[in-house]
Each structure stands twice: as structure tokens, then as C-alpha cells.
Amino acid sequence: MAVTISLVFLFGLVLFFLLRSNSLSYGSAFIAVMFGFFLASTGAAEPINQLANAVLDAVRNL
């Protein structure tokens, strides 16, 4: 669990700086995928899924 959280932090930080510097390439796509992969295995996955479902339900009800 501790390794997963630190990897999420690391990939999130790298992704933040890549997006901020507008250097989007294959490397940044890999970082984004790895960030999502490791984020999905943390405790943050369930609240993120609930938020996504709530947003989709709100859009459908417009």
C-alpha cells in the first residue's frame, strides 16, 4: 500500500509538470496511464468512481 501511494504521488507529480509545460508526447501518455493504473489500486478509487457516476447522472438528467 505504501509503495502504491508513493507511486501515485510520483506519477501524479510528473504528470502535473508535463501538462504544465505542454510537453505532451508518448512519454507523458505513458505517465498518465501509469498514474491512472496506480491510482485505481488505492483507496481513492471508490470516491473517484462515485464522483464520475454522479457527474454522468447529472449530465444525463439535463
Side-chain angles (χ1 to χ4, degrees), residues 1 6-7 10-11 23-24 30-32 34 40 42 44-46 49 52 54 56 60:
M1 177 75 174
S6 62
L7 286 174
L10 175 69
F11 284 122
S23 58
L24 300 174
F30 174 75
I31 295 296
M34 294 305 293
T42 65
E46 185 61 31
N49 285 335
L56 289 174
R60 269 188 248 140

Side-chain angles (χ1 to χ4, degrees), residues 7-8 10-12 14-16 18-19 23-39:
L7 286 174
V8 167
L10 175 69
F11 284 122
V14 170
L15 181 61
F16 171 77
L18 285 173
L19 290 173
S23 58
L24 300 174
S25 64
Y26 294 114
S28 59
F30 174 75
I31 295 296
V33 168
M34 294 305 293
F35 175 70
F37 176 76
F38 284 110
L39 184 63

